[in-house]
Amino acid sequence: RDGGMLNMFLEEANNERMHLLTFIRLKDPGMIFRAAVIGAQGVFATGFGLAYVASPAFCHRFVGYIEEEACLTYTKIIKAIEEAEEGSELAQWKTQDAPKIAKGYWHLGDNGTVLDVMKAVRADEAEHRDVNHAVSGVPDDTVNPLYDPRERLDSMLTKYVKDIMEREQQENVDKKAAATS
């Protein structure tokens, strides 16, 4: 009904939530800071919600520019970490283990570092930037060009059938091997 927009934005929201949870694990902020963030989110969400009712295209373009600034900021952070003097607090992020939640979400492996997290988050922000700029020009009642739900369903079904067929083939190979031994 919404052309696949809602699911795409729910996935983006979950991704942003993972950014938040990761950074909370890195630096456990105090209650005052957390309360200030929640208050600021409430004020922004109210204003942004009203603006979205007036012009969704403007809001998506606005978010695209915010995400662009986030990409630039993470690029500067990554550069600062990579160029930090050995022994400095910032240089420790080259080797400091990433939080467990980040290792699992971004598949960083056992050796994932905070620097790896910053690179993953920057990549996410770049995708959010591109998505919001792209959908700012999509007319209402149009299938989302970035997230067509029909294509997604077809892809999932194709993978499901392929997995079943491969599993059956492997079972047949195993049965033949067991029969000959």
Side-chain angles (χ1 to χ4, degrees):
R1 182 165 218 203
D2 69 345
M5 296 285 191
L6 183 60
N7 286 334
M8 180 181 67
F9 290 128
L10 285 173
E11 283 184 10
E12 281 201 7
N14 184 55
N15 179 260
E16 294 291 357
R17 181 178 146 271
M18 294 307 293
H19 295 180
L20 176 65
L21 292 174
T22 297
F23 289 117
I24 284 176
R25 295 288 190 282
L26 277 174
K27 298 286 182 190
D28 189 21
M31 292 305 292
I32 293 173
F33 185 82
R34 289 179 189 215
V37 168
I38 291 170
Q41 285 177 330
V43 170
F44 180 81
T46 302
F48 191 77
L50 293 172
Y52 198 88
V53 169
S55 178
F58 168 80
C59 289
H60 286 294
R61 185 69 69 191
F62 176 71
V63 170
Y65 288 128
I66 290 173
E67 298 291 8
E68 205 165 303
E69 284 301 314
C71 290
L72 294 172
T73 300
Y74 283 108
T75 298
K76 290 175 185 174
I77 291 169
I78 290 165
K79 183 178 179 187
I81 293 170
E82 290 175 340
E83 295 176 355
E85 273 187 47
E86 287 304 316
S88 68
E89 188 175 344
L90 198 53
Q92 292 175 6
W93 280 8
K94 291 180 202 174
T95 57
Q96 180 182 335
D97 273 354
K100 186 176 178 182
I101 192 169
K103 288 179 180 181
Y105 184 72
W106 285 289
H107 309 287
L108 300 177
D110 293 336
N111 299 322
T113 65
V114 173
L115 179 59
D116 296 329
V117 170
M118 296 300 170
K119 290 177 180 178
V121 171
R122 179 181 59 182
D124 289 346
E125 300 298 359
E127 182 179 350
H128 300 319
R129 173 200 60 206
D130 296 343
V131 164
N132 278 282
H133 281 310
V135 300
S136 68
V138 174
D140 291 341
D141 299 328
T142 302
V143 173
N144 182 344
L146 304 172
Y147 190 96
D148 185 342
R150 296 168 299 196
E151 286 181 21
R152 190 168 176 97
L153 180 61
D154 289 347
S155 171
M156 288 172 25
L157 289 173
T158 300
K159 183 180 181 318
Y160 177 72
V161 170
K162 182 180 174 193
D163 289 347
I164 289 174
M165 292 173 67
E166 287 175 356
R167 193 175 316 122
E168 286 177 354
Q169 287 175 346
Q170 186 60 45
E171 288 174 358
N172 289 338
V173 167
D174 292 346
K175 285 180 186 175
K176 288 180 183 176
T180 58
S181 56

